[in-house]
Each structure stands twice: as C-alpha cells, then as structure tokens.
Amino acid sequence: MMVKILYFAALRERLERSEEQLALPPEVATAGALRAHLAARGGAWEALANLRNLRVAVNQRMAGADAPLADGDEVAFFPPVTGG
Amino acid sequence: MSVRVQRENFDPGAEMDALCAGRVDVGACASFVGLVRAANDGSGVHTMTLEHYPGMTEAALEEIEAEARQRWNILDVLVIHRYGELRPGERIVLVVVIGAHRGEAFAACEFIMDYLKTRAPFWKKERRADGQHWVDAKQSDDAAAARWRE
C-alpha cells in the first residue's frame, strides 16, 4: 500500500524533508510500525525512534501507535503543538 | 461556528461586533486575544514564525468548537489563528464566544484556548539574537487542558 507522509516543525528540519510518498511492505500496517520502519533508515531518521512525545496523525486526526493504516492514508509526524 | 486560519492580522472589535450583529439574544460576548511576547524565558524575541498543518488545523479547531458547544449553552463561536512571521506585539489568536449569559461564554472561551494550545497543530519558532529556537510545549498547558476532563 502507498501512504503519504508529512513531517512538521523541528522534525521536518531534522529530517530535511516535509513530505514523501512511500510504498509500505505488508508488515507495516500501523502508525507505530511505520514510525519504526522510518527510524530504521538510520542517521537523522533515528529521531523518529528517539524523540519522546512525538505525535502522529492519520488522515488529519491525532492517532495512537496502534492506529491501522490503509492505502492512500495521510500520516503526519510532529512534535507536541505550541500554538495559541 | 467559524474558524479562520490566516496570515493577515484581524480586528478584534470588528470581529466581536460582526458576531453579535443583528442578534438580540446575546447577553455576553467573551473574548481572548493572544499576542507575541517580546521576552520569552528572559531573552529578547525578534520574530516568531508559526507553522501549521493545513487541513488538520481547521479540522482540529472545528472539533474543539463543537466540543465547547456540547458542553455549554452558547450561541456562536469564532476562532481566528494566524500563521507566518509575526513580531512582538502582534496578535496571534482570537477566540470569541457569545451566549445569553457570561458564565458559559467565559468558560467556553477558556476551554477553547486550553484545548487549542494542546490539540491544534501549530508550532512556534522564535528568532532571537542567539539564533532560532522551536518553542517547547509546556506541561502547564497540558495541565490546563486536563482540568476540563476532571
């Protein structure tokens, strides 16, 4: 399945990437598994494994690590929000 | 109900007047304006840049408004949040709640701000003399949002 992945704020700068389209292997079926899959790229991507409090949204709603992913989903990773 | 996410400034008085215009059932109009502070943690802020997640930002704000309307008997809500580069003294956010009575309007306004601070996908980056820094989320903001669940 294909997903669109977005990165915001400090995470976006660390990864030097704001978005990508990625084909996922069948075993990567949840938001948490995707996070581990990306962290396994190594280098700056290990931030995805190491950052405490990293948030994830699936299809523009806050989600937990166990949130299932489907083809065409939009998944976003970002630090805790600081608006207002 | 309305939510606006925009780069441009806004006029709080004009927005409050517009929300109440033509109605005779409004007894209370409560509002909050958040501004860029010059000194955060003691060192001078030159500019503050707000990044957001277009699409999710609007959805999250609408969800917060909907929850406020479920909790309190209020007549209408307006939320405006800016993004882009702002300077000290500039407005960041406006929340206006109108209702028949002040108690519910005040409470809903504070609730919306507390939830916005912890749930709406905005991120602040400050530029100071010593460089640029992403603002860290505050535990006090989490605590402020959590008290509404007690």
Side-chain angles (χ1 to χ4, degrees):
Chain A
M1 79 179 145
M2 288 290 293
V3 294
K4 180 181 183 183
I5 312 173
L6 304 174
Y7 309 98
F8 288 96
L11 183 66
R12 171 179 56 73
E13 289 188 346
R14 254 169 108 157
L15 301 176
E16 297 179 327
R17 190 172 299 188
S18 58
E19 66 173 85
E20 63 181 301
Q21 298 278 344
L22 190 66
L24 303 184
E27 66 272 19
V28 180
T30 63
L34 174 59
R35 184 173 166 178
H37 182 66
L38 293 167
R41 287 170 168 174
W45 294 90
E46 287 171 14
L48 281 151
N50 299 335
L51 283 178
R52 288 183 307 121
N53 300 326
L54 195 70
R55 303 292 201 258
V56 58
V58 177
N59 296 327
Q60 307 192 345
R61 290 188 72 105
M62 298 294 272
D66 57 351
L69 300 182
D71 188 50
D73 277 354
E74 178 175 299
V75 185
F77 293 97
F78 46 80
V81 302
T82 55
Chain B
M1 178 185 303
S2 91
V3 162
R4 278 153 41 198
V5 181
Q6 63 188 45
R7 201 176 272 281
E8 305 75 45
N9 192 14
F10 51 81
D11 179 340
E15 298 294 349
M16 290 163 70
D17 283 350
L19 203 63
C20 299
R23 313 187 62 133
V24 292
D25 53 349
V26 180
C29 177
S31 67
F32 174 85
V33 178
L35 303 104
V36 180
R37 243 192 341 270
N40 213 357
D41 303 331
S43 72
V45 174
H46 294 204
T47 61
M48 175 175 280
T49 303
L50 274 139
E51 176 174 332
H52 78 113
Y53 179 176
M56 180 173 170
T57 309
E58 292 82 354
L61 293 174
E62 281 165 11
E63 198 169 313
I64 293 165
E65 280 198 22
E67 191 164 341
R69 281 167 169 275
Q70 277 186 351
R71 285 176 177 238
W72 292 282
N73 184 23
I74 51 181
L75 295 169
D76 205 355
V77 175
L78 170 67
V79 179
I80 302 177
H81 202 301
R82 295 176 70 192
Y83 63 90
E85 188 178 285
L86 303 175
R87 295 181 175 280
E90 283 199 76
R91 301 179 189 104
I92 305 170
V93 61
L94 171 69
V95 177
V96 183
V97 179
I98 57 174
H101 304 285
R102 72 181 184 283
E104 297 202 291
F106 272 134
C109 187
E110 190 168 21
F111 166 87
I112 289 168
M113 269 314 298
D114 285 346
Y115 268 41
L116 183 158
K117 290 280 248 187
T118 54
R119 296 187 178 193
F122 289 97
W123 301 273
K124 286 179 181 147
K125 188 184 205 179
E126 293 174 345
R127 189 168 61 78
R128 308 180 200 173
D130 61 344
Q132 301 200 57
H133 309 267
W134 289 97
V135 174
D136 286 327
K138 293 194 195 80
Q139 283 194 337
S140 57
D141 288 336
D142 285 332
R147 74 202 157 98
W148 296 102
R149 292 193 288 274
E150 282 163 6

